[in-house]
Amino acid sequence: MTEMWDDVNKQVKADWKDDTTPFERVYEIVEQTHDGQSAAEIADRALVSEPTARRHCKTLVSTGFAETEQDRQTTLYKRDSDRILMSRIRELREEVDRPELLDSIKEMKAEIRRYEDRYDVVSPEELAQQLEAGETEGWDDLTAWRTTRQNLAVAQAALAYDEASHQLAV
């Protein structure tokens, strides 16, 4: 069975290489990269040489799609977090109208208040300090609370972006 999957993986990689340019493959890999990766790691995943990966990564950095960080003497590349955030804000603004956005914000605030009341803490970080290792429900709530807090921040930013756009249009 493993041999069959190896053959399928080889074929998928070959097809991907035939159907895309080296730049497109490097772009796709960087787009999926949350934690920095070296040009050598990106090259391996993108099926290109290291100099090609480095050249395309530098182009992505210069266009603002990617950013760099240093790990001792190695430059690591990853997608730009600000760009991802702005993409999420724009998507939300386009997909959800203002009344829906306001309702979502109201519901997320209420959900956060329920977590605060349930655990008698003001933040997920404070909750994390109180939870024991085996408290599955508490840890699940902590994760949901953090996610709700992130989603609330994005929704509020989308609302502010929408308001600013309307003000600039006037």
Side-chain angles (χ1 to χ4, degrees), residues 77-163:
Y77 300 90
K78 65 180 181 177
R79 65 186 187 177
D80 183 83
S81 53
D82 288 340
R83 187 178 185 105
I84 299 303
L85 176 59
M86 283 307 299
S87 293
R88 287 183 63 197
I89 290 168
R90 277 192 217 102
E91 281 176 29
L92 186 59
R93 184 174 167 245
E94 291 169 7
E95 294 172 5
V96 179
D97 64 23
R98 185 177 175 81
E100 290 175 305
L101 192 55
L102 289 168
D103 286 344
S104 294
I105 289 170
K106 184 178 175 181
E107 178 52 38
M108 286 184 276
K109 286 181 175 180
E111 185 175 343
I112 288 171
R113 279 192 299 279
R114 286 191 293 272
Y115 288 125
E116 291 170 346
D117 292 344
R118 180 176 183 184
Y119 292 101
D120 194 30
V121 295
V122 296
S123 71
E125 293 76 22
E126 189 177 344
L127 175 59
Q129 293 174 352
Q130 294 180 4
L131 290 175
E132 299 294 325
E135 292 183 55
T136 305
E137 186 178 348
W139 289 105
D140 289 345
D141 283 348
L142 175 95
T143 300
W145 187 353
R146 284 182 172 157
T147 300
T148 301
R149 194 168 65 172
Q150 289 171 348
N151 290 340
L152 175 60
V154 171
Q156 288 172 323
L159 183 62
Y161 185 85
D162 187 56
E163 289 175 8

Side-chain angles (χ1 to χ4, degrees), residues 58-83:
K58 286 180 180 180
T59 299
L60 292 171
V61 168
S62 71
T63 62
F65 180 78
E67 60 188 8
T68 62
E69 57 187 44
Q70 288 299 126
D71 181 23
R72 290 180 234 139
Q73 295 181 4
T74 304
T75 300
L76 303 177
Y77 300 90
K78 65 180 181 177
R79 65 186 187 177
D80 183 83
S81 53
D82 288 340
R83 187 178 185 105

